[in-house]
Amino acid sequence: MFFRYLIFAYLLANIYLFIRSWQALEFFGRKRYWFAAIFWMAILPFAFMRMGTISGLLYNICQYIGFTVLAASLYGFLFLPLIDFLRLVAWIGNIRPALIYRHYKLTKVITFGAICLLISTIITGGYINAHHPRATHTTIRIEKNAGSVAKLRIALVSDIHLGNFHGHRSLAKIVRTINEQSPDIVLLAGDIFDRYTESAIQGDLGAEFRNLKAKYGAYVVNGNHERSGGSQAMAYDYLVSIGVEPLFDSVTLIENSFYVVGRLDRSSRERKALQELLTNLDNSLPIILLDHQPFDLGEAELAGIDLQLSGHTHHGQLFPFNFVTSRLFECDWGLLQKGKTFFYISCGAGTWGPPIRTAGRSEVAIIDLVFMVD
């Protein structure tokens, strides 16, 4: 239902963009029909892809074109109404610069070209931004003793969305970025795979995880995409085979010094209550919680969690949707403290939908925990 509404809004917005573009290209007369053909050939793949009428290689091609054009349409839909607003202001104020109106048809073409160039620059920059993850650094002091562990360097990664847009090369960059930071432990906060978990496993898209280097290993929880895209048992076995330990509503004690608690995604009907997972834990030791979606943060605070690590938000991924996620979530990116509980929300190492990021930058979050020492 969501995608039906999305397709309807997408087509409606592009009808507006087409009409305004057609008017802007009046200078070219009948040659505009070439533009019309190219425009709709670029627009329709997204609709075909989401209507389920194609599959295989054709689907993959349409997906790449469709999602890229979707992002371009977004910025076209932001810029053109702004120009229409300026034209309205000029009309109301009877502002008619001779430089513009003396060659009005040519001026419209130049304006159209400038907008296309600007959108192309944004899309290109967003693509580069999405495919070159950076390491961000945060230091947190935990007021607990962790036995033999005085400091702990965590590499937090979420929302890679391994699939058609992010495969072996993307993951290799992420793993290389992780290893360069020499983490003690790698924690993966869900949506490592995109919707089609089975096809990602068949393509061994997680193979690069075998190259991770961390003293205490790597642990992962599932996200809403893994939940909707395939067998959880299949994902579990595959993750183990590539050296990543799944924590699906389970707890592990590391070096008798700190706990890592992993929750099933909140979309799972089998998800246990947090207090049930914490039963019989030694609360004098630091407790790190992995929970894909950063909702109900007060629950972790009341439960005495020391650090919760989440993802899911993408920080909106495409400007201006970061303003939407900042309203939907108490924290949609970065560090937050509530009482004695710290939260770090990753904006993600990959993308969902358009392989483009114009809000935030794909990250590997490096979190240095400093514990109390007797």
Side-chain angles (χ1 to χ4, degrees):
M1 184 61 69
F2 167 77
F3 283 109
R4 287 179 183 176
Y5 285 125
L6 179 61
I7 291 172
F8 177 75
Y10 173 75
L11 292 176
L12 198 63
N14 277 290
I15 289 172
Y16 163 74
L17 291 179
F18 174 74
I19 292 172
R20 296 295 292 114
S21 299
W22 181 267
Q23 293 169 345
L25 296 175
E26 183 184 2
F27 179 84
F28 293 107
R30 295 179 61 86
K31 293 180 181 178
R32 287 182 292 177
Y33 288 108
W34 285 104
F35 163 77
I38 294 171
F39 182 92
W40 290 109
M41 285 176 63
I43 293 301
L44 292 178
F46 179 78
F48 290 147
M49 175 189 71
R50 283 300 167 187
M51 287 189 295
T53 56
I54 53 176
S55 60
L57 178 61
L58 181 59
Y59 176 88
N60 293 338
I61 293 172
C62 285
Q63 186 178 45
Y64 208 94
I65 294 173
F67 276 126
T68 302
V69 172
L70 175 65
S73 298
L74 167 67
Y75 291 107
F77 194 69
L78 290 178
F79 289 133
L80 280 179
L82 176 61
I83 291 177
D84 284 344
F85 174 75
L86 294 176
R87 291 176 65 244
L88 178 62
V89 171
W91 179 76
I92 293 174
N94 197 28
I95 302 171
R96 300 177 63 85
L99 181 63
I100 293 177
Y101 284 92
R102 186 178 299 121
H103 306 287
Y104 189 52
K105 292 182 181 180
L106 181 60
T107 299
K108 290 194 293 183
V109 170
I110 293 173
T111 303
F112 176 81
I115 292 175
C116 289
L117 179 61
L118 179 58
I119 292 174
S120 298
T121 302
I122 291 172
I123 297 302
T124 302
Y127 182 88
I128 294 171
N129 190 37
H131 289 78
H132 291 80
R134 64 170 179 172
T136 59
H137 292 265
T138 304
T139 300
I140 300 173
R141 181 175 179 82
I142 302 295
E143 299 299 326
K144 283 185 179 180
N145 185 290
S148 61
V149 180
K151 295 181 180 179
L152 181 70
R153 170 162 281 198
I154 299 171
L156 168 65
V157 175
S158 76
D159 301 279
I160 302 174
H161 291 275
L162 290 172
N164 288 334
F165 293 147
H166 299 281
H168 295 286
R169 291 179 60 186
S170 295
L171 186 56
K173 290 180 183 179
I174 293 168
V175 170
R176 184 166 59 249
T177 303
I178 292 171
N179 289 340
E180 286 172 352
Q181 300 302 314
S182 301
D184 297 310
I185 189 170
V186 178
L187 299 178
L188 307 172
D191 278 2
I192 304 308
F193 301 108
D194 208 352
R195 291 181 61 208
Y196 303 103
T197 306
E198 184 175 351
S199 61
I201 292 172
Q202 290 172 350
D204 197 17
L205 294 187
E208 288 293 331
F209 279 128
R210 298 185 178 99
N211 297 321
L212 282 174
K213 298 175 183 178
K215 179 166 46 175
Y216 302 128
Y219 298 85
V220 64
V221 294
N222 68 342
N224 54 300
H225 279 255
E226 285 104 351
R227 182 67 188 171
S228 66
S231 166
Q232 184 169 293
M234 180 188 295
Y236 188 101
D237 292 340
Y238 177 67
L239 290 165
V240 171
S241 75
I242 58 176
V244 179
E245 183 69 25
L247 292 176
F248 296 165
D249 264 1
S250 57
V251 181
T252 184
L253 175 61
I254 297 175
E255 292 289 298
N256 291 315
S257 299
F258 63 93
Y259 294 100
V260 178
V261 180
R263 301 193 74 180
L264 286 173
D265 184 67
R266 70 196 305 265
S267 61
S268 171
R269 295 180 180 179
E270 295 82 23
R271 173 167 151 128
K272 297 177 181 177
L274 181 56
Q275 286 293 352
E276 184 179 353
L277 291 175
L278 301 180
T279 302
N280 300 323
L281 268 59
D282 181 356
N283 291 327
S284 68
L285 294 178
I287 302 174
I288 300 169
L289 173 65
L290 272 177
D291 193 355
H292 177 62
Q293 300 189 44
F295 287 103
D296 304 322
L297 302 187
E299 182 184 13
E301 179 190 2
L302 291 174
I305 298 297
D306 297 293
L307 172 64
Q308 176 176 323
L309 303 174
S310 300
H312 183 67
T313 71
H314 290 233
H315 187 53
Q317 187 173 314
L318 296 176
F319 174 87
F321 293 124
N322 50 308
F323 293 108
V324 176
T325 56
S326 67
R327 297 297 298 272
L328 287 176
F329 299 93
E330 189 172 354
C331 177
D332 75 330
W333 184 20
L335 183 66
L336 173 70
Q337 182 177 1
K338 292 173 67 69
K340 293 184 178 180
T341 302
F342 292 90
F343 301 85
Y344 192 92
I345 315 303
S346 172
C347 70
T351 58
W352 178 72
I356 294 159
R357 179 183 288 277
T358 56
R361 181 173 173 182
S362 296
E363 72 167 347
V364 172
I366 303 301
I367 302 169
D368 289 305
L369 296 187
V370 181
F371 301 112
M372 289 181 59
V373 179
D374 290 337

